[in-house]
Amino acid sequence: MSNAEIGVIGLAVMGANLALNIAENGYKVAVFNRTYARTEEFMKSAGDLVDQLVPCKTLEEFVNAIRPPRPVIIMVKAGGPVDMQMEALKPLMSDNDIIIDAGNANFRDTLRREDEMKDTGLTFIGMGVSGGEEGARHGPSIMVGGKQSSYPRVQGVLEAISAKYKDTPCAAWLGENGAGHFVKTIHNGIEYADMQMIAEVYGIMRDRLKMEPKAISDVFAKWNEGPLESYLISITAEVLKAIDPKTDTPMINLILDAAGQKGTGRWSAIEALNMGVPATAIEAAVAARSLSAAKGERLHAEGVLGLPASTDVADPEKFIADLELALLAGKIAAYAQGFAVMSAASKEFDWGLPMPTIAKIWRAGCIIQSRFLDEISTAFSKDPDVANLVITPAFSKLLGECDGPLRHIVSESVLNGSPVPALASAVSYFDTYRRGQGTANLIQGQRDFFGAHGFKRLDEEGDHHGPWGS
Ligand code: 6PG
């Protein structure tokens, strides 16, 4: 009875939704959960799709239910549980069977896991899945990494269950071993930066312009009809207009301002730092989440230091128009940095990451899906090897249009004490990146002064030292 096309292990929300999505797309799917009670519960909730599902009590039964070579998607908590599940599966599987880790794994774990499997005859796929619970159920963006020769066995199912952008599936094989999980990590890093910049703009409207949540929601809803059109902007409008049924007041005003983080944003920043690629918007977003979590300390600091004086905005309408463009400029920095990090990793790990394809499969299904990504995919398709998104013709032009508003908003915010760490990082990034003559000549002079580290001269070859102390 090896007639299931694929198997899913782990029937918590993400795994359950992925299994239902596969079933709905006409594929028979074997399912297994550590506790069978959960599998029974899942089957009860499957409605018409039960005929497409093969519930299994044991792992042996599960493996035998799948058509060889067997693809098995593991959707359990990232880290140790994935290793445990893989160890349990390995002895039951046969040559060319495929273990697919679809969780938010650290790509370094994926590299290790693939390495540990290399003499087993099995193959390993590290697969990034974005889109949250809804995406898993109705069409996520799927970033696949692993042996290319194993991809055709799963390509049909993955493309079928993925989101579609104008009929194009948002699923692709991106490179060997850790490529898929790395790209998913950077997706999340960009997600952090995007969310932080949106939150900064919300803060300015709330605290400086003294706008009520509903009015701010209306602004975001309007922006969602323009160049900022995206999933994150649309849910921001939704979150801001929601009313708490218990108190009949805006839900947003009752949510504690301390953000959680599971690690992917931080991993993005760490990997960027490891490779020496600036990802300042992502770093700022990670740092802002950490500071947000220190609620008690911030309240104490406000008591000790007070808030900076703030003036009224002379022309709120113009200010809001500039906020929209500032957000767009900030987005350019975040995405340019994210893609630059992927480009560096692609070289370091020899992945050959296809930048236009990555932008394409992020156009729908994932958390950062947006109109903007379609423009990025066009820019990279025209010039896949460009050093940085900001110097492509389309984005240099766009930046020219929103650079002024970004400066206006950041400088105004600094003068009036509105925190804009991610937007401010974008201004500094652009200004440092675009300046051919920087100031590191002085840093080199200092390094040579205190440590005899040497420097290059503009007028001569070789390493040189300065005439310090002579
Ligand atoms: C996605 C999300 C998803 C999840 C993150 C959030 O692409 O579907 O990014 O992966 O929401 O785990 O991460 P934090 O808890 O770190 O915000």
Side-chain angles (χ1 to χ4, degrees):
M1 63 143 203
S2 312
N3 61 356
E5 184 63 17
I6 194 162
V8 173
I9 294 182
L11 296 174
V13 188
M14 287 297 285
N17 281 358
L18 215 51
L20 293 174
N21 186 355
I22 297 171
E24 195 164 63
N25 275 283
Y27 295 95
K28 205 156 223 171
V29 50
V31 292
F32 175 81
N33 195 71
R34 199 167 39 90
T35 51
Y36 192 65
R38 172 68 201 124
T39 309
E40 285 178 317
E41 206 181 298
F42 166 73
M43 291 302 291
K44 277 191 207 129
S45 70
D48 292 350
L49 298 172
V50 279
D51 292 345
Q52 293 293 96
L53 299 161
V54 186
C56 302
K57 277 199 175 113
T58 65
L59 262 188
E60 287 82 350
E61 198 187 313
F62 169 80
V63 169
N64 289 331
I66 307 166
R67 172 175 80 78
R70 305 173 180 89
V72 171
I73 296 179
I74 300 180
M75 196 48 130
V76 300
K77 201 168 177 302
V82 175
D83 289 309
M84 276 165 57
Q85 197 56 70
M86 285 177 66
E87 284 317 304
L89 266 176
K90 278 182 200 168
L92 305 174
M93 297 184 88
S94 318
D95 275 3
N96 301 319
D97 283 355
I98 309 162
I99 298 184
I100 305 170
D101 174 16
N104 265 339
N106 186 315
F107 87 104
R108 294 193 179 272
D109 282 336
T110 307
L111 294 179
R112 169 183 59 77
R113 287 175 182 138
E114 135 124 348
D115 195 50
E116 284 167 3
M117 275 182 55
K118 78 174 179 296
D119 300 321
T120 60
L122 307 177
T123 54
F124 185 60
I125 284 182
M127 184 169 96
V129 177
S130 176
E133 296 169 13
E134 267 298 295
R137 179 66 183 84
H138 298 293
S141 167
I142 302 179
M143 296 146 255
V144 182
K147 226 185 224 117
Q148 189 173 14
S149 54
S150 301
Y151 188 56
R153 173 68 182 88
V154 287
Q155 185 172 1
V157 185
L158 297 183
E159 288 186 353
I161 65 166
S162 75
K164 310 289 177 302
Y165 181 85
K166 297 184 183 160
D167 295 336
T168 305
C170 292
W173 176 83
L174 301 174
E176 296 287 314
N177 52 65
H181 276 143
F182 188 85
V183 171
K184 175 62 175 37
T185 298
I186 299 304
H187 165 282
N188 280 30
I190 294 173
E191 171 186 307
Y192 271 50
D194 241 343
M195 292 167 75
Q196 173 61 25
M197 289 176 185
I198 292 172
E200 289 173 12
V201 166
Y202 152 70
I204 294 170
M205 286 193 260
R206 183 190 66 184
D207 299 334
R208 185 96 194 282
L209 299 176
K210 310 274 183 264
M211 290 166 65
E212 291 299 326
K214 174 68 175 70
I216 306 176
S217 165
D218 291 345
V219 170
F220 279 107
K222 184 158 164 274
W223 287 354
N224 202 41
E225 289 162 13
L228 286 173
E229 181 191 343
S230 59
Y231 174 73
L232 282 172
I233 293 285
S234 76
I235 65 160
T236 302
E238 294 294 319
V239 169
L240 285 165
K241 77 173 186 212
I243 298 293
D244 170 45
K246 280 190 209 148
T247 59
D248 206 25
T249 58
M251 188 72 242
I252 189 72
N253 292 347
L254 298 166
I255 301 178
L256 179 71
D257 57 324
Q261 48 179 322
K262 294 204 194 77
T264 41
R266 190 167 53 231
W267 297 342
S268 296
I270 290 171
E271 295 305 335
L273 286 167
N274 276 339
M275 286 182 294
V277 181
T280 52
I282 299 173
E283 287 164 27
V286 174
R289 283 206 192 183
S290 302
L291 261 181
S292 84
K295 173 78 175 174
E297 207 176 319
R298 285 187 292 112
L299 278 172
H300 180 66
E302 183 176 331
V304 174
L305 304 169
L307 291 175
S310 168
T311 57
D312 285 343
V313 171
D315 183 349
E317 215 170 298
K318 161 85 173 70
F319 201 80
I320 290 174
D322 275 3
L323 280 175
E324 179 182 14
L325 293 176
L327 203 46
L328 193 56
K331 245 175 122 81
I332 297 176
Y335 284 70
Q337 293 175 356
F339 275 92
V341 174
M342 289 192 288
S343 161
S346 180
K347 289 186 191 104
E348 183 158 331
F349 296 96
D350 207 13
W351 285 326
L353 291 179
M355 300 305 159
T357 305
I358 294 171
K360 281 192 179 119
I361 64 170
W362 285 353
R363 288 179 302 182
C366 66
I367 303 295
I368 63 172
Q369 62 184 277
S370 61
R371 183 192 289 196
F372 190 74
L373 271 160
D374 191 37
E375 287 153 21
I376 295 181
S377 80
T378 307
F380 277 125
S381 301
K382 285 186 186 150
D383 194 353
D385 298 320
V386 68
N388 192 300
L389 184 68
V390 297
I391 53 170
T392 60
F395 281 86
S396 58
K397 181 167 174 289
L398 189 59
L399 185 57
E401 289 159 15
C402 47
D403 178 80
L406 176 67
R407 275 170 212 289
H408 173 224
I409 293 300
V410 168
S411 55
E412 265 282 313
S413 298
V414 171
L415 286 171
N416 288 279
S418 312
V420 284
L423 288 172
S425 81
V427 178
S428 298
Y429 176 70
F430 294 140
D431 286 346
T432 314
Y433 186 67
R434 79 206 301 171
R435 189 163 287 268
Q437 172 66 43
T439 54
N441 48 336
L442 180 58
I443 291 171
Q444 286 299 78
Q446 292 163 331
R447 290 178 70 241
D448 190 55
F449 188 103
F450 63 65
H453 296 294
F455 52 78
K456 304 261 184 252
R457 292 178 66 112
L458 290 169
D459 56 352
E460 270 178 47
E461 291 291 307
D463 287 324
H464 299 270
H465 294 285
W468 327 122
S470 61

